Amino acid sequence: MLPADSNAPGGAPGADDPHPIAQLGITGAELESSLTRRVDWQQLVGALPHLVWVARPDGYHEYFNQQWFDYTGLTLAESLGDGWNPPFHPDERPLARRLWDEATLTGEPYEIEYRLRRHDGVYRWMLGRAVPLRDESGTLLKWFGTCTDIEELKVALDDAAELRHELERRATRDSLTGLANRELLFEQMEHKLSQRRRTGMAVVYMDLDWFKEINDRLGHSAGDRLLAFIGERLRDTVRQGDIAARIGGDEFVVVGEAQDHEEAERFAQRVVEGVRGRLSVSGESVEVAASVGVTYVDAADTRSADTVLAHADARMYEEKRRR
């Protein structure tokens, strides 16, 4: 049995009787047992590393342990009833209220993760749980609830999620330019090839002109900055749904929708114009230019991504030899 409220209003029965215990029909052994249970309860909830609370069957919060008051800075009067909700982060208050209402209506256990305001104004993540306590007949007597600090766990999980995202990004993205890498390019091309219905596709294979000379003259760091800059220009040039990838060295591939060969050629020209221009690298003005080969893939074409790329690559080298 949970402890009775020691501050309940009203006088005790038999207050004027020299033997009030006898008037209540309580033996000395029963009184000692009741007091022992109350002491045991207070010791238990005081030793738990949780904020502990007790609510009536209708959801009215009527008890909090000292850890609750120490953490929130609230008084008992401020916490009773629905006073537990205001310290919740504003983003989680409506959900906490709704879940608690559902729990008290259905008698099902309550569980939620939320941020709880500390006495100094800092919010920390908590895991809130409550279970219904019932008698032998199944009647709900009380709700016993706890708030467990999970801030460090949430931070660790967030860090792990960021690390996983970064590893996934590195597995599919070129580390220097942030563009798709070869693996992601093939995956997305195969998907686009399988999803074509009424429109075709332009595949542009691009190789930077004079990159080796720039790299040899200005150094590899300057060459890396040039490649990163090309990545930025390509991201600004492509349309939503297009694919831009660096597949190695100074070679890039851009894929986009096209209705016919002419539109594919215009698409390739836009890519070239997007990267063309002068760039300051290591204090020197560098002229950026590129050679491209473009392949148009119509809706009925059954070639694989590897074959299409090989065709575009061959056309790019044809153009480079003509220069």
Side-chain angles (χ1 to χ4, degrees):
M1 180 179 292
L2 300 178
D5 187 355
S6 61
N7 297 316
D16 297 328
D17 193 290
H19 302 289
I21 295 177
Q23 291 291 326
L24 292 171
I26 301 175
T27 66
E30 289 172 334
L31 177 60
E32 182 178 355
S33 176
S34 176
L35 291 174
T36 299
R37 288 196 301 272
R38 181 177 299 180
V39 171
D40 290 344
W41 162 261
Q42 292 173 343
Q43 289 177 340
L44 171 63
V45 297
L48 290 174
H50 310 282
L51 316 184
V52 177
W53 49 273
V54 176
R56 300 187 314 215
D58 63 2
Y60 183 95
H61 287 54
E62 61 179 8
Y63 170 84
F64 297 85
N65 69 347
Q66 187 60 43
Q67 284 90 321
W68 168 270
F69 302 124
D70 293 342
Y71 180 90
T72 63
L74 298 176
T75 65
L76 176 61
E78 292 170 329
S79 304
L80 291 174
D82 289 335
W84 57 271
N85 193 255
F88 280 45
H89 191 281
D91 291 348
E92 282 100 45
R93 285 178 200 164
L95 177 61
R97 177 77 268 175
R98 178 173 62 81
L99 292 179
W100 180 235
D101 288 344
E102 290 176 0
T104 55
L105 180 65
T106 63
E108 295 296 321
Y110 166 81
E111 182 170 320
I112 182 177
E113 291 183 5
Y114 60 93
R115 286 163 289 180
L116 187 65
R117 187 180 65 240
R118 203 166 57 188
H119 59 82
D120 58 1
V122 173
Y123 284 93
R124 292 181 65 84
W125 279 99
M126 295 279 178
L127 172 62
R129 286 174 170 167
V131 293
L133 304 180
R134 303 178 185 274
D135 63 14
E136 294 179 355
S137 67
T139 301
L140 201 159
L141 302 175
K142 299 280 186 183
W143 287 92
F144 179 82
T146 58
C147 311
T148 304
D149 192 317
I150 58 170
E151 178 72 20
E152 282 72 23
L153 175 61
K154 291 287 286 187
V155 170
L157 290 174
D158 288 345
D159 289 345
E162 289 182 10
L163 176 60
R164 183 170 60 252
H165 176 75
E166 177 62 19
L167 292 175
E168 290 173 352
R169 189 193 69 80
R170 291 185 181 184
T172 59
R173 296 285 169 179
D174 175 59
S175 60
L176 188 59
T177 64
L179 300 177
N181 62 13
R182 178 182 290 271
E183 289 73 18
L184 181 59
L185 170 66
F186 274 87
E187 178 184 322
Q188 293 185 339
M189 278 189 65
E190 293 291 0
H191 177 74
K192 280 185 174 292
L193 288 169
S194 67
Q195 295 296 314
R196 282 172 301 139
R197 294 294 182 269
R198 292 183 296 273
T199 186
M201 189 170 72
V203 178
V204 179
Y205 201 110
M206 183 179 75
D207 181 86
L208 297 182
D209 294 336
W210 315 301
F211 178 73
K212 184 178 184 304
E213 290 79 359
I214 295 172
N215 216 25
D216 291 344
R217 188 173 80 255
L218 302 180
H220 291 290
S221 294
D224 288 348
R225 288 197 294 275
L226 174 58
L227 293 173
F229 180 73
I230 296 300
E232 292 178 10
R233 283 192 170 180
L234 284 177
R235 278 193 296 273
D236 292 338
T237 301
V238 298
R239 305 161 299 190
Q240 185 175 1
D242 292 345
I243 307 169
R246 178 183 174 226
I247 60 173
D250 60 342
E251 295 181 334
F252 298 82
V253 173
V254 184
V255 181
E257 288 187 357
Q259 297 293 334
D260 50 38
H261 288 277
E262 288 72 20
E263 187 174 356
E265 292 290 345
R266 291 194 297 271
F267 179 76
Q269 188 60 34
R270 188 168 68 250
V271 171
V272 172
E273 294 295 334
V275 301
R276 181 178 293 168
R278 301 201 70 82
L279 172 66
S280 178
V281 179
S282 297
E284 288 197 27
S285 180
V286 174
E287 179 69 28
V288 179
S291 300
V292 299
V294 58
T295 294
Y296 173 68
V297 185
D298 64 30
D301 199 317
T302 59
R303 288 177 296 174
S304 68
D306 192 51
T307 302
V308 171
L309 279 177
H311 192 193
D313 184 20
R315 288 195 168 185
M316 184 271 295
Y317 275 105
E318 288 176 10
E319 179 184 346
K320 216 172 182 66
R321 281 195 298 268
R322 286 197 297 265
R323 292 191 170 189

